[in-house]
């Protein structure tokens, strides 16, 4: 597939996706959504080198991560189009069988916050800012909010929506929208990959499927917790790894 709005590189179980509409502030248009959906569908399997994709990294520019929806397209067409494909892209980041990581150096606004909130891990630098400006235009971030509420809670998402002003990276970290605040996201990514590369894709997929339904309710969650636990120990690869550790004192990834 030829990409018009993204830069994509894949190898060694990692897919890196970079927003590539700098003149438009990396704004989200219909083509970007189609391209993102196609890439994430491919990440369900293996890369060109045959290694299963276990990690997806998304990033923007130094000044702008993603400015949100493309207002030029809305002004020209008089409509924003169907929101479902973009929601499905965010859901794929949130629930897909890979670890999704957002690297944020600059401004993330509106739908850009949706991409951030949908990811499993968010690493940001101090200049990053996160805002929901929709109410200023008579809109509200209906599709962003389910992902944002999941990360920061109802009231923080509510306040952020009402105030419409960007919050700092430090405030975003305090709220839980950002997991790691650092001076250099590239260096911090390397540290994360050094650990994440040991995770097997089947384990990631099984965990994220379970976590998508886990709500912290001890009674309602009991049946699915027991079923998930039993499924883990029914996996021959899991048992083989445990036996190898007991007999050889070697972790599953060690030669």
């Amino acid at each position: 597939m030829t990409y018009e709005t993204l830069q994509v590189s894949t190898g060694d179980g990692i897919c890196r996706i970079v927003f590539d509409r700098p003149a438009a502030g990396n704004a989200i248009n219909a083509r970007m959504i189609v391209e993102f959906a196609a890439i994430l569908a491919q990440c369900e399997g293996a890369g060109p080198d045959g290694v299963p994709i276990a990690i997806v990294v998304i990033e923007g520019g130094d000044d702008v991560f993603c400015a949100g929806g493309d207002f030029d397209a809305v002004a020209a067409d008089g409509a924003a189009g169907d929101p479902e494909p973009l929601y499905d892209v965010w859901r794929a980041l949130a629930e897909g069988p890979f670890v999704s990581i957002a690297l944020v150096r600059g401004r993330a606004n509106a739908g850009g916050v949706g991409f951030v909130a949908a990811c499993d891990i968010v690493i940001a630098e101090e200049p990053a800012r996160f805002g929901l400006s929709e109410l200023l235009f008579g809109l509200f971030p209906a599709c962003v909010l389910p992902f944002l509420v999941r990360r920061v809670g109802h009231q923080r998402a509510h306040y952020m929506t009402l105030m419409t002003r960007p919050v700092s990276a430090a405030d975003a970290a305090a709220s839980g929208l950002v997991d790691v605040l650092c001076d250099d996201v590239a260096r911090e990514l390397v540290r994360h990959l050094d650990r994440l590369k040991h995770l097997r894709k089947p384990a990631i997929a099984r965990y994220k499927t379970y976590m998508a339904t886990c709500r912290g309710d001890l009674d309602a969650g009991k049946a699915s917790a027991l079923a998930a636990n039993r499924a883990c120990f029914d996996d021959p690869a899991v048992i083989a790894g445990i036996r190898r550790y007991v007999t050889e004192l070697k972790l599953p990834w060690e030669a």
Side-chain angles (χ1 to χ4, degrees):
M1 184 174 180
T2 300
Y3 303 109
E4 298 177 4
T5 67
L6 305 169
Q7 296 178 19
V8 183
S9 59
T10 305
D12 198 26
I14 301 169
C15 177
R16 297 192 69 157
I17 306 169
V18 182
F19 294 112
D20 191 26
R21 299 190 71 214
N26 291 331
I28 305 162
N29 63 5
R31 179 66 182 179
M32 179 182 288
I33 297 168
V34 169
E35 292 179 358
F36 234 109
I39 295 164
L40 295 182
Q42 293 169 7
C43 290
E44 298 264 345
D49 56 2
V51 178
I53 301 299
I55 298 169
V56 174
V57 180
I58 64 173
E59 55 189 303
D62 290 341
D63 297 322
V64 182
F65 174 78
C66 173
D70 189 339
F71 270 18
D72 287 342
V74 174
D77 298 341
D82 183 5
E84 185 173 11
L86 180 57
Y87 190 94
D88 289 344
V89 164
W90 293 340
R91 189 161 188 174
L93 287 169
E95 299 181 356
F98 40 72
V99 179
S100 54
I101 304 174
L103 305 183
V104 188
R105 299 178 179 87
R107 180 170 63 93
N109 183 64
V113 174
F115 274 102
V116 172
C119 284
D120 298 313
I121 296 172
V122 178
I123 304 173
E125 294 179 1
E126 184 60 42
R129 295 292 182 269
F130 305 84
L132 298 174
S133 60
E134 287 91 336
L135 271 178
L136 295 172
F137 299 91
L139 310 169
F140 65 91
C143 291
V144 174
L145 283 170
F147 300 90
L148 185 62
V149 168
R150 190 183 65 144
R151 265 197 165 266
V152 305
H154 187 279
Q155 181 56 33
R156 285 183 182 272
H158 180 50
Y159 182 77
M160 191 172 171
T161 301
L162 288 173
M163 293 308 296
T164 69
R165 66 186 177 208
V167 300
S168 69
D171 286 343
S175 73
L177 178 56
V178 168
D179 297 300
V180 179
L181 185 58
C182 64
D183 296 327
D184 186 336
V185 293
R187 184 169 61 236
E188 193 62 38
L189 176 64
V190 171
R191 294 194 185 111
H192 277 68
L193 294 181
D194 281 345
R195 190 69 185 182
L196 291 169
K197 68 183 180 183
H198 299 310
L199 303 182
R200 295 170 55 245
K201 182 159 186 165
I204 295 170
R206 187 158 50 214
Y207 163 69
K208 288 189 67 175
T209 298
Y210 170 72
M211 195 59 177
T213 66
C214 185
R215 298 290 179 265
D217 186 314
L218 301 187
D219 289 327
K222 180 179 178 179
S224 60
L226 296 178
N229 183 273
R230 290 167 183 146
C232 287
F233 285 98
D234 284 342
D235 185 342
V238 170
I239 300 302
I242 292 172
R243 284 176 175 158
R244 183 169 181 261
Y245 180 73
V246 169
T247 57
E248 302 178 32
L249 294 180
K250 289 184 179 180
L251 293 164
W253 63 85
E254 293 180 312

